[in-house]
Amino acid sequence: MAGEDIRNMLDVDRLVHEPARLAIMTILYTVEAADFLFLKRQTGLTKGNLSSHLSRLEGAGYVAIEKTFEGKIPRTICRLTDAGRKAFEDYRDWLKNAIKSTESKQK
Amino acid sequence: MNPDIDKMAQRTRRYWYEDGLVEIAAGGVFLWGTTVILVSAAIAAVLGAPAALVVAAGLIFLTTVGAMTVAKGVRRAVNAVKNRVTYPRTGYVAYRAPKAIKRSPAGMIGLAILTVAGSVIVAAGLGVLARRLPDWALSMPVSEGVLFGLLLALLGYRLGLARFYVLAALSALVGAGVALTTDPYNLLSAAVYFGAMGIVLIGSGGLALRDYLRQNPLPADGDADEYEEV
């Protein structure tokens, strides 16, 4: 593998690359919005872990978090921002290229 | 954690169907279709052929122009029930609206060519089938059963939902059964198919809803949303 290829591999967005955050972003990419309970059940993360990852994604501008009420029950709605959607698409492209690159080097 | 991106996306899309409410609503729409056909047939029988034409025109209007309104209304009704039953138990999800088809001139020409070519191939295929299959196999209930079955199988494959394959097989069986036991060239046979499939869908949705409610009790007060700003 050439030096340039390796440097490209290191260009990965580490915020998205982390498995728990990748799972959160995959779910939010598929839908318009989802609440905290849904994300917790789908990812299997604890409330503390999920809160921490969501805060990091919010801090990076990838996820928008809105606290609402459904009757008297609180509901935290999360959605990907345009920047988050682009970051996820870029990550997906990076992953495809990385796989393609290693496959072509093996042939 | 080892996230499989495709499976996670598929599971998220499947969530809309997991509680069986969509099947119950679809079953309701099928039963409504049966009622419309039966009422129209009754009016046609009493008032004669000209009135039957008016009724047929009304039916076409209802099924084409009205379909969009019905689909929107059913979606809203399902969402309202989910708001009380599903979202408090397993979480709220809002799905993205389907993307509008891009209308570039090249795309429109391509679509037109594909439509003409597709129609010729289907017509030729049906011509061959018509010579080889018995009459009942080409009747309305069988076509409805097979087409709706294909749609269900496709949805089952896309969502990874096994019970939709069973429903697909049942749709084809119900269609064949109705064609063999009624006059398949009478409009009323379509009403029998819609009625039978409506009951099947409501039954399947009811069983899915029962399982969903058993597996997902309401969380205790305050447990549903525990987001903490870090």
Side-chain angles (χ1 to χ4, degrees):
Chain A
M1 193 181 282
E4 194 187 342
D5 287 341
I6 292 171
R7 276 194 296 280
N8 287 342
M9 294 271 283
L10 295 174
D11 276 346
V12 63
D13 184 343
R14 283 162 202 270
L15 204 71
V16 185
H17 190 57
E18 199 283 328
R21 287 195 288 272
L22 179 58
I24 294 168
M25 289 193 70
T26 303
I27 292 167
L28 291 179
Y29 186 80
T30 315
V31 299
E32 178 67 38
D35 72 356
F36 186 81
L37 176 62
F38 180 77
L39 288 172
K40 196 176 108 183
R41 291 182 64 96
Q42 294 289 315
T43 58
L45 294 167
T46 62
K47 62 175 181 175
N49 245 330
L50 180 58
S51 297
S52 158
H53 286 304
L54 280 173
S55 293
R56 284 201 70 176
L57 289 169
E58 188 187 27
Y62 288 174
V63 168
I65 297 173
E66 185 191 353
K67 285 203 150 202
T68 61
F69 279 88
E70 184 60 40
K72 288 181 180 173
I73 302 164
R75 185 183 273 174
T76 306
I77 307 281
C78 309
R79 65 183 83 233
L80 277 191
T81 60
D82 288 343
R85 213 159 266 285
K86 180 161 187 323
F88 182 79
E89 283 163 0
D90 288 347
Y91 176 79
R92 213 174 42 183
D93 291 343
W94 173 88
L95 205 59
K96 275 182 198 162
N97 286 335
I99 292 166
K100 212 184 281 175
S101 162
T102 49
E103 277 175 352
S104 63
K105 293 289 183 295
Q106 279 178 344
K107 280 176 189 169
Chain B
M1 180 181 274
N2 179 23
D4 180 326
I5 292 182
D6 288 338
K7 275 196 179 155
M8 198 155 272
Q10 188 187 51
R11 213 168 58 203
T12 306
R13 281 194 293 267
R14 189 167 60 215
Y15 181 64
W16 177 253
Y17 300 89
E18 269 177 7
D19 54 16
L21 288 172
V22 176
E23 276 148 273
I24 294 173
V29 172
F30 270 58
L31 290 181
W32 175 79
T34 301
T35 310
V36 169
I37 294 174
L38 290 179
V39 168
S40 306
I43 292 169
V46 173
L47 300 175
L53 272 176
V54 174
V55 171
L59 267 175
I60 291 165
F61 176 80
L62 273 175
T63 49
T64 52
V65 182
M68 290 298 288
T69 317
V70 170
K72 265 188 190 171
V74 170
R75 198 177 170 86
R76 260 187 214 156
V78 169
N79 230 337
V81 179
K82 278 178 181 282
N83 221 3
R84 298 182 71 89
V85 176
T86 313
Y87 301 152
R89 285 178 165 80
T90 48
Y92 164 83
V93 170
Y95 289 89
R96 304 177 72 193
K99 283 181 189 166
I101 300 166
K102 286 181 183 170
R103 290 181 184 175
S104 68
M108 295 300 277
I109 292 168
L111 191 67
I113 292 170
L114 268 178
T115 307
V116 171
S119 306
V120 169
I121 292 166
V122 169
L126 284 177
V128 172
L129 277 176
R131 284 196 293 275
R132 292 180 180 214
L133 291 173
D135 284 350
W136 67 267
L138 289 170
S139 63
M140 207 156 37
V142 175
S143 315
E144 285 161 357
V146 170
L147 281 178
F148 187 58
L150 283 174
L151 193 75
L152 283 167
L154 200 71
L155 203 60
Y157 172 74
R158 191 166 175 263
L159 301 168
L161 204 54
R163 77 170 186 273
F164 277 27
Y165 291 123
V166 177
L167 283 174
L170 278 174
S171 172
L173 281 174
V174 167
V178 171
L180 286 169
T181 52
T182 62
D183 173 8
Y185 296 99
N186 190 320
L187 188 65
L188 289 178
S189 68
V192 176
Y193 167 78
F194 283 130
M197 260 327 273
I199 292 165
V200 167
L201 285 169
I202 289 173
S204 162
L207 288 174
L209 181 62
R210 188 197 62 182
D211 290 346
Y212 172 82
L213 292 176
R214 275 187 189 166
Q215 288 161 15
N216 301 289
L218 264 177
D221 275 355
D223 281 354
D225 192 309
E226 305 154 310
Y227 174 65
E228 301 159 345
E229 280 178 60
V230 180

